[in-house]
Amino acid sequence: MLFSSWQDRYRMRWERFYTYVRTTPCSVAECRDDAAFFTAPPVRDLLDLCEQRSELSNHLVADLANHLTELDPFRACLCGLLIGRYGERGAGSADADRALADRFLYTLNACLQSIELICERRSIPVEKLLDRPEALPHCLCALFATDPEPAMASFGMGSLATGLLSRLAASRPLRDRLRQEKQVIPFCEGFGELFDPALVSLPGLLNMAEEGTVILLSLERRVGVEAAFRQVDSNFLLFTLLQNLFHREGLLERFGAPKFVYDPVLDKLSRHLPLSKKERVPDLLEDNAGFDYYAPSALRADGCFDILHLVWGEGSPCTLPQLDGKNLLLLAPLTLPRRWGEEFILGSHPQLRPAATITRLLDEAEVASLTARIRTLNLSKTGNQ
């Protein structure tokens, strides 16, 4: 009976909340400061109840998702933020994720409409608006008077994007859904800074390598391994994961990097694992290369490597160099110091769980076969048979 009474209280507060968001007009002032929404008694009371009884959060997420299309564009975005926030605590469903994706795509198109209307009525090119993002709120306020729908959606995009990022980090089906929408990444890369920094982070999640394998080969040491990785959004993060993996597996000296300095805190942070009470995040978080990483095409006839064929860390593991359809990196002793900062070490979102594991050691015959294959291909490209 006790749980039933909590459900009854929830249903009563939900009805008050729903009546409020459906019947109270959204104003420009509320769009400029969403505190007016979250401090409104019907909203605050519902959220307070869900804080008291966490099991009610699933009901809230389901109700919000079912009614997103009935709300005005700004409040729908704020409710999308709530779906993401409660999703971080374990509440949510595939249906809620689909509703969130639909609302994001609707809001994206509304933002594009706002840009078009603003530039048309002010007789300015898009580039001028992009150069002065601080002017957008003023422009949207003016647009609100004549075209409230796209203006409200544009005001809410930042909140919606923040909620969407939380769910994107937790749900591969949702990431795969948005990968099918060709306009998402160009919009975020072209207009993300105009609306909210959260949008700038979104392409990193969609361009992320969900899972893959890579062969790591040291021609000098005549050794190789195959490693599997997951949820890696940059080659720098992949390098960090691999180097720390080599340390844990006792492979650094075998592959020619005995001087690499292992940092257990950095290792945990790169895999988004919790630190112990005694461990602290350093003020300057950065990693240093233990190897030079080359594409197979880097090997020259004289046995040296062409620096133009270095694999750059800013790239994506989705585009690693391949040999006969398999990702392959040549490891060589470090020639020049290379380092990268926390934006690469920490990845796109704290809810991700980047990882790398050794799947097998290559035997001598396979190492020799790969080496011969690389030499043959590179000699044929240069015409040196």
Side-chain angles (χ1 to χ4, degrees):
M1 286 296 295
L2 180 62
F3 184 70
S4 177
S5 67
W6 281 106
Q7 287 183 320
D8 291 341
R9 290 174 65 182
Y10 168 81
R11 189 51 49 193
M12 181 172 60
R13 294 195 187 187
W14 165 261
E15 293 301 332
R16 286 183 60 210
F17 168 88
Y18 183 66
T19 299
Y20 168 77
V21 296
R22 287 282 289 158
T23 61
T24 306
C26 180
S27 66
V28 172
E30 182 179 323
C31 289
R32 295 296 301 269
D33 182 8
D34 59 19
F37 174 80
F38 289 110
T39 58
V43 179
R44 187 190 62 234
D45 291 346
L46 177 63
L47 299 185
D48 285 347
L49 181 65
C50 290
E51 291 296 321
Q52 296 172 41
R53 306 292 296 189
S54 59
E55 67 271 19
L56 297 175
S57 299
N58 280 311
H59 295 287
L60 177 60
V61 168
D63 284 332
L64 291 172
N66 289 335
H67 295 283
L68 276 185
T69 58
E70 301 164 19
L71 308 181
D72 67 64
F74 180 72
R75 288 169 178 163
C77 289
L78 299 187
C79 290
L81 172 64
L82 291 174
I83 290 174
R85 288 296 187 228
Y86 283 104
E88 291 180 0
R89 307 178 191 181
S93 66
D95 288 340
D97 287 345
R98 283 191 288 270
L100 197 59
D102 290 342
R103 175 49 48 172
F104 176 72
L105 294 172
Y106 167 88
T107 305
L108 184 156
N109 288 319
C111 288
L112 290 174
Q113 184 183 1
S114 292
I115 292 172
E116 182 178 350
L117 289 170
I118 290 170
C119 292
E120 177 184 302
R121 293 175 186 179
R122 293 175 178 264
S123 299
I124 58 173
V126 173
E127 292 74 19
K128 187 171 182 179
L129 191 61
L130 291 172
D131 287 341
R132 296 189 61 227
E134 70 279 2
L136 182 64
H138 175 75
C139 295
L140 289 175
C141 287
L143 184 65
F144 191 99
T146 57
D147 297 89
E149 295 281 317
M152 282 191 283
S154 298
F155 272 121
M157 175 53 107
S159 297
L160 179 60
T162 300
L164 179 69
L165 280 174
S166 293
R167 295 306 307 144
L168 273 177
S171 171
R172 180 169 181 176
L174 182 56
R175 294 194 293 270
D176 288 339
R177 160 75 192 285
L178 289 188
R179 285 176 180 130
Q180 297 172 10
E181 304 292 338
K182 301 302 183 185
Q183 76 274 34
V184 171
I185 291 179
F187 171 82
C188 293
E189 292 178 341
F191 301 107
E193 287 283 3
L194 186 61
F195 290 97
D196 194 89
L199 287 167
V200 181
S201 302
L202 197 148
L205 285 170
L206 299 185
N207 288 327
M208 175 179 63
E210 295 285 357
E211 54 190 348
T213 60
V214 58
I215 293 174
L216 305 158
L217 193 63
S218 171
L219 301 183
E220 180 186 44
R221 299 298 183 101
R222 299 180 182 178
V223 291
V225 297
E226 181 181 83
F229 58 87
R230 71 163 190 243
Q231 296 188 350
V232 179
D233 58 7
S234 75
N235 290 334
F236 275 140
L237 176 56
L238 181 62
F239 298 162
T240 290
L241 294 171
L242 292 173
Q243 292 171 173
N244 291 327
L245 173 64
F246 273 35
H247 169 82
R248 296 196 304 274
E249 297 291 336
L251 294 173
L252 285 171
E253 187 166 354
R254 187 175 180 181
F255 276 79
K259 296 182 180 180
F260 175 76
V261 178
Y262 173 73
D263 183 339
V265 170
L266 186 147
D267 187 6
K268 286 185 177 181
L269 291 173
S270 67
R271 293 184 288 156
H272 298 173
L273 301 179
L275 300 180
S276 70
K277 292 182 178 179
K278 295 181 179 179
E279 293 173 319
R280 295 288 183 270
V281 179
D283 293 334
L284 178 62
L285 182 62
E286 63 178 19
D287 197 11
N288 296 277
F291 302 94
D292 279 341
Y293 297 86
Y294 288 100
S297 56
L299 183 62
R300 300 188 317 214
D302 61 4
C304 297
F305 292 104
D306 185 345
I307 195 171
L308 294 178
H309 293 259
L310 272 171
V311 176
W312 301 104
E314 295 85 353
S316 168
C318 293
T319 57
L320 285 173
Q322 294 194 341
L323 178 70
D324 299 334
K326 295 182 178 180
N327 297 327
L328 190 148
L329 291 175
L330 300 180
L331 303 185
L334 194 65
T335 53
L336 294 173
R338 300 173 71 190
R339 59 176 55 91
W340 47 94
E342 65 178 73
E343 68 272 19
F344 293 106
I345 296 167
L346 300 181
S348 293
H349 199 281
Q351 280 191 274
L352 296 174
R353 290 295 176 265
T357 56
I358 300 294
T359 53
R360 63 189 181 93
L361 296 173
L362 276 57
D363 58 32
E364 291 183 11
E366 188 172 1
V367 172
S369 175
L370 285 170
T371 302
R373 178 72 173 141
I374 292 168
R375 291 185 185 280
T376 300
L377 285 175
N378 290 349
L379 286 174
S380 65
K381 289 177 183 177
T382 59
N384 296 315
Q385 299 288 352

